[in-house]
Amino acid sequence: MQSLVEQLGLELLSGHETAASPVRWVHCTELADPTPWLRGGELLLTAGAHLADARSQRGLIDVLAANDIAGLGFGVGLAHDTMPQALVRQARKHELPLFEVPTEMPFIAITERVYAQLLDERHELLQRSLAGEVLAEALAGGLTPDELRLRLRPFRIGESVTVLVFSARGREAPWLERVGAVSSLEKLLRRERVDGLVAVSKGMLCAVIDGDASPDPVGLARQLRAELGEMLGDVAAAASRPAPSRLLRLSFQEARYALDAARRKGNREVGSWEDLGAVRLLLSLQDDELLRGWWRGVLGPIEREEGEYGDELLRSLDVFIEHNGHWERAAAALYCHRHTLRYRIKRIEQLLDRDLGNAAERVECWLALRGRELTR
């Protein structure tokens, strides 16, 4: 509502606090109570022909506020030369958005503007849904290189890609969507004249951009992180290197692990390839079948022998290693008793024929777990 009124060159007389609510539709009426024919969320336009006295003016505002009407545009110059003050006072009481429509502005001009805005919003929603689908299919490995290039073309992404990822500490994907993080990042990229697709994936805000769009992706991620931080709070960021578009999945994993590395180091504003450490070795293979064969050689007995319970054992192994074998901290992270964790680790050692008290064995298992993530 606020942006619509500003676009029309008008001014809100009330309801500034509630003017951010979306407008679902627009409707012209001269009925004393139009709400039986409305569903809520509409912007109403009226010349007030039925509002002859203060009582009827207050009554209209009361029924509109009680039925979640988005706002009221009141036309002056026909039934009323000026805005009725009783109407204004009652609208302020209910915090209902109210604005004056001057004589020279026909209601049809407002109606057309609302329809155009609704179409733009629905186009953005469609584009956003498409972006999420493309990214999800690419990360699942469900697209051939040619299919992926075709799916990226509407986003003006050419033969190479760079992936930027952002995460607000302690926040998950639904929260990012609620606060409008996707649309905010899209606007920031447009301002920088950078083409790409933006979506939320695996609890992170992701931007896949054309690999030639920015000569310094880490610098771009740093700039975007600072501006997103004003809205999201404590934000971690990372950027992949430019790579052929067929390697989008690999670029995403590179950025994802760089983000984890930046979080662990604490003082890093933006994670990059240089922060990946041993994971570089896995990413450099660029051969899913080879990598899959290797990690299955290490972890396969858990999946083969334990079935569905194998996933729980592998998660326990991962957390145990991440916490450097500290039983209390690892058990707390897994929400289980330390004796339960000890049983699981003993079972893992039996299945893998390994001693997890040995540092080299833990390193190999950790690398195998990362390889499993990369090829799933």
Side-chain angles (χ1 to χ4, degrees):
M1 176 69 73
Q2 180 73 57
S3 62
L4 172 66
V5 173
E6 290 175 353
Q7 290 171 25
L8 293 167
L10 304 179
E11 182 180 353
L12 280 175
L13 301 175
S14 67
H16 296 83
E17 297 299 321
T18 57
S21 299
V23 175
R24 190 184 63 80
W25 202 245
V26 60
H27 184 68
C28 300
T29 183
E30 295 301 329
L31 296 175
D33 181 5
T35 56
W37 292 271
L38 304 175
R39 295 170 51 194
E42 293 91 352
L43 166 63
L44 291 187
L45 303 175
T46 183
H50 59 290
L51 304 176
D53 53 40
R55 181 178 180 181
S56 61
Q57 294 161 14
R58 290 192 297 268
L60 175 65
I61 296 298
D62 289 342
V63 297
L64 298 186
N67 288 274
D68 298 320
I69 300 305
L72 177 65
F74 192 90
V76 297
L78 295 174
H80 298 264
D81 292 332
T82 60
M83 283 291 294
Q85 288 308 300
L87 190 80
V88 176
R89 286 192 295 269
Q90 198 71 359
R92 288 173 178 170
K93 177 182 176 181
H94 287 287
E95 296 186 354
L96 178 75
L98 170 69
F99 59 93
E100 178 182 322
V101 182
T103 307
E104 61 272 15
M105 181 176 289
F107 284 174
I108 188 63
I110 301 175
T111 301
E112 289 175 345
R113 182 61 61 91
V114 172
Y115 288 168
Q117 185 170 300
L118 290 173
L119 285 173
D120 288 343
E121 290 173 357
R122 288 174 184 177
H123 179 265
E124 286 184 12
L125 287 173
L126 180 61
Q127 190 80 351
R128 198 163 296 152
S129 176
L130 179 61
E133 289 175 6
V134 171
L135 184 58
E137 289 189 58
L139 299 184
L143 299 173
T144 67
D146 287 341
E147 288 172 337
L148 182 56
R149 279 195 295 270
L150 287 174
R151 298 290 295 277
L152 292 175
R153 191 173 297 167
F155 300 95
R156 298 182 181 178
I157 298 174
E159 295 300 313
S160 67
V161 297
T162 299
V163 177
L164 312 178
V165 293
F166 306 87
S167 177
R169 194 181 304 276
R171 303 291 189 176
E172 297 298 331
W175 185 84
L176 291 171
E177 292 166 349
R178 280 200 303 274
V179 300
V182 171
S183 59
S184 296
L185 182 53
E186 287 172 339
K187 290 175 184 176
L188 291 173
L189 289 173
R190 282 198 297 269
R191 187 197 66 194
E192 298 300 318
R193 298 181 180 178
V194 173
D195 294 318
L197 69 84
V198 179
V200 172
S201 180
K202 302 184 186 301
M204 298 177 294
L205 181 62
C206 310
V208 181
I209 65 174
D210 188 276
D212 298 323
S214 174
D216 181 14
V218 173
L220 177 61
R222 182 178 293 108
Q223 177 185 341
L224 296 173
R225 170 190 175 273
E227 298 191 60
L228 288 171
E230 295 178 4
M231 177 182 65
L232 303 179
D234 185 10
V235 175
S240 75
R241 299 164 298 166
S245 60
R246 61 184 174 80
L247 299 179
L248 170 56
R249 185 164 174 264
L250 192 66
S251 294
F252 175 85
Q253 298 289 12
E254 181 179 312
R256 174 188 176 188
Y257 282 110
L259 182 69
D260 289 340
R263 284 170 172 161
R264 287 197 301 270
K265 294 184 178 180
N267 59 347
R268 287 283 184 142
E269 288 186 354
V270 180
S272 70
W273 167 257
E274 296 177 353
D275 299 308
L276 292 179
V279 176
R280 283 194 192 189
L281 296 174
L282 303 180
L283 292 170
S284 65
L285 291 177
Q286 297 186 16
D287 187 329
D288 279 2
E289 288 306 313
L290 179 63
L291 187 54
R292 190 176 290 111
W294 173 72
W295 72 254
R296 281 179 173 164
V298 177
L299 302 175
I302 296 177
E303 291 192 328
R304 287 195 300 272
E305 299 295 328
E306 297 296 328
E308 292 183 4
Y309 184 58
D311 282 342
E312 187 62 34
L313 288 181
L314 290 171
R315 190 169 78 91
S316 297
L317 173 61
D318 200 0
V319 172
F320 177 71
I321 296 173
E322 288 289 344
H323 286 81
N324 298 313
H326 192 286
W327 296 105
E328 294 286 351
R329 289 200 296 267
L334 289 164
Y335 299 101
C336 71
H337 195 279
R338 65 181 182 279
H339 294 319
T340 301
L341 179 59
R342 286 182 184 276
Y343 167 79
R344 291 175 183 175
I345 296 302
K346 183 177 180 180
R347 178 59 178 155
I348 290 168
E349 288 179 325
Q350 292 172 344
L351 290 167
L352 302 186
D353 191 22
R354 292 175 182 271
D355 177 10
L356 293 176
N358 182 285
E361 300 275 32
R362 290 200 302 273
V363 167
E364 187 167 3
C365 286
W366 184 85
L367 286 171
L369 287 164
R370 302 289 77 78
R372 182 174 181 264
E373 287 180 346
L374 290 171
T375 56
R376 294 189 75 188

